[in-house]
Amino acid sequence: MPLLINMTLYIVREAVKLWKKITMETCVELQIFMEKWKLLLAGLFFQYVHGVAAHGIHYLHRPGPILHDLGFSLLPEIEPDKAYVSEIFFSVIFFSFILWTFYPFIYHSKRFYTVLLWRRVLAILVTCQALRIITFYSTHLPGPNYHCRKGSKYATLAPPERILDLFLINVRGVFYGCGDLIFSSHMIFTLVFVLTYYKYGSKRFIKMLAWMMAVIQSLLIIASRKHYSVDVVVAWYTTNLVVYFIDTKLTEMPDRSNGNQPLLPLVAKEKESKSDEAHKLLNGNSVNALDWNYRNQANEKHLEDRNYVHSETTKNGRQIGDATQL
């Protein structure tokens, strides 16, 4: 009985600590979110735009002979009834990354702010997806997937009866889409998640595992005939280049692994300090009395120096004039 009571007290105590951590982190993240919510909302909205674009290209898809592909020649073909293996593997990567981004809400050690991390991830995704939309609308290739081949009822969509049909995304279109080939959307998400963890994660073993999973995901996509090999290859170097470009343009996130770091990012604290100083100046209050006294003394000394120089110049000028007359 005493053991049960001690266990209960321990669980309650740890639950209270966890709740305090979640509450404190939520307050901090909310303050950052209020500054960045427009960028986050724009990134989420573009996911819908990307889905509409992939749905639209399906109307333009025309089935044809499968193009010769080196990956198809080297990798055995996964049967249609086992095509779910690739999707399950991708789902493990996808949801594992999402859970990892929220670990600062639970663990005491924190290396980043969740809102700032997702702002960076969405910026990379939007850039890659915009390039992808331009690419697969530029050249239409016959889909290699089973439901995109000749004779399949999913190979081509019937013309839309209403304009609204172009903007509606159904679940069947997500799994049975055709035409959005170059370059692989699955590999965009996979590589963005892997590169993000490689930069901001802390476990070396997980970093190595993540790269291995990215390679396996590439092979599964080709073996399932969901994409040509070129779709995967282009995704590998395009996503890496976009990540490098975004890293050079976006300001680096503050590292929270040091316990001496402030609770809020420096950018937010600087804005608050600047606004407080401006507010004091507008109200006529001195930000620092010693600083203003020093400035007044310096200004008075500067004026005295100027008057002294002017008087000396006048005297010298008169002396030169008198000498000339003599």
Side-chain angles (χ1 to χ4, degrees):
M1 191 66 179
L3 180 61
L4 181 60
I5 295 175
N6 291 334
M7 287 292 294
T8 305
L9 293 175
Y10 174 78
I11 294 173
V12 171
R13 185 168 58 252
E14 293 299 321
V16 171
K17 290 181 181 179
L18 179 61
W19 175 251
K20 288 181 178 179
K21 291 179 184 177
I22 295 175
T23 304
M24 182 178 295
E25 188 67 21
T26 302
C27 294
V28 173
E29 295 285 352
L30 277 178
Q31 294 184 49
I32 306 174
F33 177 79
M34 295 305 296
E35 296 180 4
K36 310 295 183 182
W37 70 270
K38 293 181 181 179
L39 296 173
L40 294 172
L41 183 62
L44 292 175
F45 177 75
F46 196 85
Q47 303 308 303
Y48 167 75
V49 174
H50 176 255
V52 170
H55 180 63
I57 196 64
H58 198 170
Y59 289 105
L60 304 176
H61 176 258
R62 296 295 179 265
I66 300 177
L67 304 178
H68 177 71
D69 189 278
L70 181 61
F72 292 175
S73 302
L74 297 177
L75 294 175
E77 186 174 359
I78 297 179
E79 298 298 328
D81 57 344
K82 297 180 181 178
Y84 62 88
V85 174
S86 175
E87 293 297 330
I88 292 177
F89 196 82
F90 174 75
S91 299
V92 171
I93 299 175
F94 186 86
F95 291 107
S96 298
F97 178 80
I98 292 178
L99 291 176
W100 169 74
T101 60
F102 288 94
Y103 95 91
F105 287 82
I106 299 176
Y107 290 96
H108 181 71
S109 60
K110 313 173 192 298
R111 299 196 64 182
F112 55 82
Y113 297 93
T114 301
V115 173
L116 297 181
L117 183 75
W118 274 108
R119 183 191 66 151
R120 184 176 294 267
V121 169
L122 287 173
I124 299 171
L125 288 176
V126 168
T127 306
C128 291
Q129 289 168 341
L131 294 174
R132 181 174 187 261
I133 292 172
I134 296 172
T135 305
F136 66 64
Y137 268 102
S138 299
T139 302
H140 304 168
L141 300 178
N145 211 334
Y146 304 105
H147 60 269
C148 299
R149 300 173 186 176
K150 287 184 178 181
S152 173
K153 62 179 180 179
Y154 301 115
T156 304
L157 293 179
E161 299 177 358
R162 303 169 300 170
I163 298 179
L164 185 61
D165 293 339
L166 293 172
F167 301 96
L168 295 177
I169 304 175
N170 52 34
V171 178
R172 191 186 68 179
V174 174
F175 292 100
Y176 295 99
C178 297
D180 55 330
L181 294 174
I182 301 177
F183 41 99
S184 173
S185 179
H186 283 63
M187 287 310 303
I188 291 176
F189 279 92
T190 299
L191 291 172
V192 170
F193 293 168
V194 171
L195 289 168
T196 302
Y197 185 83
Y198 185 80
K199 184 174 184 179
Y200 299 106
S202 58
K203 305 297 182 183
R204 183 177 299 180
F205 170 74
I206 298 180
K207 292 180 181 181
M208 296 175 59
L209 179 62
W211 282 114
M212 291 178 58
M213 295 180 73
V215 173
I216 295 173
Q217 179 68 51
S218 303
L219 299 177
L220 287 175
I221 289 174
I222 298 173
S224 301
R225 305 300 188 254
K226 294 181 178 180
H227 282 277
Y228 292 106
S229 299
V230 65
D231 307 336
V232 176
V233 172
V234 172
W236 268 89
Y237 65 74
T238 303
T239 305
N240 278 276
L241 289 174
V242 170
V243 169
Y244 175 77
F245 174 77
I246 296 296
D247 283 342
T248 57
K249 295 300 179 182
L250 280 181
T251 56
E252 185 56 56
M253 294 195 304
D255 187 5
R256 304 179 69 186
S257 58
N258 186 1
N260 297 326
Q261 291 292 326
L263 196 60
L264 283 174
L266 294 177
V267 176
K269 293 180 74 64
E270 287 175 358
K271 289 182 178 179
E272 291 178 0
S273 62
K274 289 181 180 179
S275 63
D276 291 341
E277 183 176 353
H279 182 69
K280 291 180 180 179
L281 291 174
L282 290 174
N283 290 335
N285 298 329
S286 174
V287 178
N288 191 333
L290 294 176
D291 182 53
W292 282 111
N293 292 333
Y294 174 77
R295 292 180 184 178
N296 292 332
Q297 293 174 4
N299 291 334
E300 291 174 359
K301 186 176 184 303
H302 181 65
L303 291 174
E304 292 176 358
D305 293 341
R306 288 182 61 184
N307 293 332
Y308 175 75
V309 171
H310 179 70
S311 61
E312 290 293 325
T313 304
T314 304
K315 291 179 180 179
N316 294 333
R318 289 177 181 176
Q319 292 174 2
I320 293 173
D322 295 339
T324 305
Q325 290 177 0
L326 292 174

